[in-house]
Amino acid sequence: MKYGLSFVFLLLVIFAEAQERRQFSSFSEVLAFADQHSYTTKVASLQQNLAVLTRKTALGNVVNPRIPTTVSLLDNTRQSVSFIPAEVFGGPSGSFRQLTLGQQYISVFNVAPQFDIINFGSIAKIKSAKINERLSTNNNSVNRKNLFDQINSYYHNILSFQAQITI
């Protein structure tokens, strides 16, 4: 039983392939393949898009129109009745007269448009976003160069190893 199970595992190891086989005829093909399938390139593209969107957002926030509007509505259609001494209105003393006081309906509508035409904070954000965009471009170039340097090292080590086997 032990030997049968060991034999099955040995067959699996022999016929199993962990990676697909690729052959490149030139170093430029290796770099092109790495550039297409590298996560470094994909992350760099996303970071560049984020930097561009940040700059566009900063540009859009330079002019900031705000129109704060307030509406206050107080419905006094059913006001309470007050009893005032009738003497005030020329009536007999000791008697009271029914009187409703106040305005029947009150409403207030305020509009206060406000435009921040010169917003120094937003202008500073535009400069910061442009610098961030250039920084992102430079970082992406450095990361791409480092990736290509590593690939160059691996590629030439493989070529050196193959030449040693041939010798």
Side-chain angles (χ1 to χ4, degrees):
M1 181 69 177
K2 284 192 226 177
Y3 296 114
L5 195 57
S6 299
F7 183 70
V8 169
F9 283 130
L10 183 63
L11 285 176
L12 285 175
V13 169
I14 291 172
F15 294 110
E17 288 188 32
Q19 297 176 348
E20 64 181 84
R21 189 173 176 94
R22 292 199 181 267
Q23 288 187 338
F24 300 101
S25 59
S26 69
F27 184 63
S28 60
E29 286 182 22
V30 174
L31 292 181
F33 181 80
D35 204 23
Q36 282 181 338
H37 295 89
S38 169
Y39 285 111
T40 303
T41 307
K42 292 175 184 176
V43 168
S45 173
L46 292 174
Q47 285 177 343
Q48 191 64 31
N49 289 343
L50 181 63
V52 168
L53 287 175
T54 303
R55 182 181 51 83
K56 288 180 181 179
T57 302
L59 282 172
N61 286 335
V62 169
V63 177
N64 189 10
R66 290 181 283 178
I67 305 175
T69 306
T70 57
V71 176
S72 175
L73 197 60
L74 181 61
D75 186 5
N76 286 333
T77 54
R78 295 183 185 166
Q79 295 175 339
S80 61
V81 177
S82 300
F83 293 97
I84 306 290
E87 298 172 7
V88 175
F89 299 105
S93 68
S95 64
F96 293 93
R97 181 172 175 193
Q98 292 181 359
L99 190 62
T100 305
L101 298 173
Q103 294 179 349
Q104 187 173 5
Y105 197 81
I106 298 174
S107 64
V108 177
F109 181 71
N110 291 331
V111 177
Q114 178 180 352
F115 291 94
D116 294 337
I117 295 174
I118 300 176
N119 190 346
F120 295 110
S122 294
I123 292 171
K125 286 180 183 178
I126 291 173
K127 291 178 183 177
S128 173
K130 286 180 181 178
I131 291 170
N132 187 30
E133 188 176 1
R134 283 184 284 186
L135 178 66
S136 177
T137 302
N138 290 340
N139 284 340
N140 294 339
S141 297
V142 167
N143 289 339
R144 189 168 184 233
K145 180 199 173 292
N146 289 338
L147 174 68
F148 285 174
D149 285 346
Q150 288 176 351
I151 291 171
N152 182 25
S153 172
Y154 298 147
Y155 182 79
H156 286 92
N157 283 341
I158 291 170
L159 289 180
S160 172
F161 181 68
Q162 288 175 346
Q164 288 174 8
I165 289 173
T166 305
I167 291 174

